[in-house]
């Protein structure tokens, strides 16, 4: 695997078993103030999946409870809530310093056949015709030489996921626009043929860009100095098998924001037009520049 960030992500998802139902995962610094939420979701999903046989995760619901410390490992404690003939449920607590930083419940289903339908994928340009995120970020940084060195290094950090936005926006000079966006993404290199790993990588990637969608109509970005932003909760439904190392279209909108919270929704399509997952997230988006207390 040539992309070191992706190889590291695969290693992060390969949790260390400590005891029955207890696992440990390492953390990484992606340039933020705390552990990236997608990492904790992906690891928690992997921990729950390690306790289920002959079933695939089809949904998860997670709450972010505390910021994670990037310098420390995370312990995942799995509660085997239920094992039925078709469905199993697992509750996973991600723990640092004796306190939960995330609580997740996931449901798993054994393979079944049934009626199928789906909505049509949006008609957007193919990813190969779009500029890469690296190209865009270099251009934005050239246009804003005042960006501090630490932030510059964080923006230029190699990622495990490759992104190609259909409607790119300069994150250092955001302008108000409609709360919707389309972004192609895929793992930055080929992944092993493990369906569970592909779902966990998708779970990891699904935490990128949702929050920024809710900020669009306000002319803000996650880098705006007056904004305090964070994921509050995150839900995923896996509809169909997928490969996270092939192009996927993330079609997102944010129907509402209020009380310093924004709601974002996403639908993820394969490059063949299959709806493979749906995502919903509520996020904190507090404008400290407008506080009066």
């Amino acid at each position: 695997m040539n992309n070191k960030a992706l190889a590291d992500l695969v290693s992060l998802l390969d949790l260390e078993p400590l005891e029955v139902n207890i696992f440990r995962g390492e953390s990484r610094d992606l340039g933020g103030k705390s552990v990236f939420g997608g990492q904790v979701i992906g690891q928690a999903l992997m921990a729950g999946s390690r306790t289920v046989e002959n079933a695939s995760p089809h949904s998860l619901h997670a709450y972010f409870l505390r910021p994670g410390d990037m310098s420390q490992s995370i312990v995942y404690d799995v509660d085997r809530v239920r094992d039925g003939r078709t469905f199993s449920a697992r509750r996973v607590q991600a723990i640092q310093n004796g306190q939960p930083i995330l609580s997740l419940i996931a449901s798993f289903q054994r393979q079944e056949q049934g009626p199928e339908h789906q909505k049509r994928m949006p008609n957007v340009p193919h990813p190969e015709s779009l500029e890469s995120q690296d190209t865009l970020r270099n251009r934005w940084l050239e246009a804003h030489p005042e960006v501090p060195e630490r932030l510059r290094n964080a923006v230029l950090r190699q990622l495990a996921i490759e992104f190609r936005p259909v409607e790119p926006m300069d994150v250092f000079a955001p302008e108000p626009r409609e709360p919707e966006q389309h972004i192609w993404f895929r793992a930055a290199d080929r992944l092993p043929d493990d369906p569970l790993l592909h779902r966990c990588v998708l779970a990891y990637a699904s935490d990128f860009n949702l929050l920024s969608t809710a900020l669009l109509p306000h002319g803000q970005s996650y880098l705006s100095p007056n904004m305090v932003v964070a994921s509050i909760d995150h839900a995923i439904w896996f509809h169909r098998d997928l490969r996270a190392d092939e192009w996927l279209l993330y079609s997102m909108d944010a129907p509402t924001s209020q009380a310093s919270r924004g709601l974002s929704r996403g639908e993820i399509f394969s490059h063949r037009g299959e709806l493979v997952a749906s995502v919903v997230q509520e996020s904190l988006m507090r404008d400290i520049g407008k506080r009066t207390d």
Side-chain angles (χ1 to χ4, degrees), residues 184-202:
W184 289 98
F185 72 96
R186 66 180 176 184
D189 206 339
R190 195 70 176 174
L191 290 168
D193 295 331
D194 177 358
L196 174 59
L197 176 62
H198 286 260
R199 294 195 182 203
C200 289
V201 170
L202 182 141

Side-chain angles (χ1 to χ4, degrees), residues 5-27:
L6 181 60
D8 187 57
L9 173 59
V10 172
S11 176
L12 286 175
L13 293 172
D14 187 17
L15 304 176
E16 175 191 0
L18 298 179
E19 184 50 270
V20 176
N21 302 332
I22 301 177
F23 305 85
R24 179 165 57 201
E26 299 302 315
S27 300

Side-chain angles (χ1 to χ4, degrees), residues 48-56 80 83 88 90 108-110:
S49 300
R50 290 273 177 89
T51 69
V52 179
E53 294 184 4
N54 303 318
S56 300
R80 302 186 186 220
D83 283 309
S88 294
R90 297 291 185 266
F108 302 79
Q109 183 185 17
R110 285 141 191 86

Side-chain angles (χ1 to χ4, degrees), residues 96-262:
Q96 281 187 327
N97 299 315
Q99 294 184 314
I101 63 171
L102 174 134
S103 183
L104 174 147
I105 189 164
S107 183
F108 302 79
Q109 183 185 17
R110 285 141 191 86
Q111 191 169 10
E112 282 192 77
Q113 298 297 321
E116 287 200 18
H117 78 277
Q118 68 160 77
K119 69 178 295 183
R120 188 172 298 176
M121 183 174 73
N123 184 18
V124 299
H126 192 273
E128 302 298 347
S129 70
L130 302 171
E131 291 183 296
S132 70
Q133 190 80 347
D134 287 344
T135 300
L136 294 169
R137 287 174 173 174
N138 280 311
R139 182 188 305 153
W140 298 335
L141 286 169
E142 287 178 7
H144 301 281
E146 73 282 1
V147 172
E149 189 67 20
R150 181 184 180 279
L151 182 55
R152 180 179 295 269
N153 291 337
V155 169
L156 292 176
R157 186 184 302 269
Q158 185 184 52
L159 295 176
I161 308 298
E162 179 182 1
F163 297 98
R164 297 206 177 182
V166 174
E167 313 95 352
M169 181 189 70
D170 184 343
V171 294
F172 300 108
E175 297 181 352
R177 62 166 69 173
E178 288 298 308
E180 58 183 40
Q181 59 179 337
H182 306 281
I183 298 179
W184 289 98
F185 72 96
R186 66 180 176 184
D189 206 339
R190 195 70 176 174
L191 290 168
D193 295 331
D194 177 358
L196 174 59
L197 176 62
H198 286 260
R199 294 195 182 203
C200 289
V201 170
L202 182 141
Y204 170 87
S206 70
D207 195 33
F208 286 96
N209 300 304
L210 270 178
L211 191 156
S212 65
T213 306
L215 291 170
L216 287 175
H218 309 284
Q220 305 285 353
S221 85
Y222 67 97
L223 295 177
S224 298
N226 60 302
M227 297 300 299
V228 175
V229 298
S231 302
I232 297 174
D233 63 1
H234 196 92
I236 306 174
W237 292 264
F238 298 100
H239 307 308
R240 294 170 175 84
D241 289 336
L242 62 101
R243 288 200 66 95
D245 54 7
E246 296 180 353
W247 284 117
L248 299 164
L249 177 67
Y250 209 166
S251 178
M252 294 165 279
D253 76 334
T256 183
S257 65
Q258 68 295 307
S260 295
R261 304 190 321 274

